[in-house]
């Protein structure tokens, strides 16, 4: 049995528990994945950093990992578990 991989948030360097909701941004070229907390600060940073990388010509796939307790079978934004309730872009 291998130990579970430690996931760290690329925005705040804090540890992300795999059973908690988080965002993965996968570099389709290298297969490397950047992870971010689902909380607004880290989501915002995720959006900014991903935009910067996209400008550099990188190709990414976004993954939204819901909480292990999320009750939705096909979870998305506004899921019953409230994993990603906060919109990534806040209108002023
Ligand atoms: Zn974070
Ligand atoms: Zn959810």
């Amino acid at each position: 049995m291998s130990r579970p991989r430690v996931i760290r948030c690329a925005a705040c360097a804090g540890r992300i528990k795999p059973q908690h909701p988080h965002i993965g941004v996968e570099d389709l070229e290298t297969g490397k994945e950047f992870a971010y907390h689902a909380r607004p600060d880290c989501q915002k940073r995720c959006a900014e950093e991903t935009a910067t990388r996209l400008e550099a010509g990188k190709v990414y796939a976004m993954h939204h990992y819901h909480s292990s307790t999320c009750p939705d079978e096909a979870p998305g934004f506004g899921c019953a578990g409230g994993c990603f309730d906060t919109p990534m872009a806040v209108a002023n």
Side-chain angles (χ1 to χ4, degrees), residues 5-63:
R5 186 168 69 100
V6 174
I7 309 170
R8 285 200 184 273
C9 177
C12 69
R15 190 169 170 176
I16 300 171
K17 293 199 171 88
Q19 70 270 29
H20 287 181
H22 60 282
I23 300 165
V25 182
E26 184 187 358
D27 184 329
L28 294 179
E29 220 168 282
T30 64
K32 188 175 157 51
E33 191 169 302
F34 300 93
Y36 295 88
H37 287 115
R39 64 171 185 245
D41 282 11
C42 299
Q43 276 200 47
K44 187 166 173 285
R45 186 79 183 266
C46 170
E48 288 169 1
E49 290 186 0
T50 304
T52 305
R53 293 189 194 112
L54 285 172
E55 277 173 20
K58 298 271 189 184
V59 189
Y60 289 95
M62 294 274 285
H63 304 287

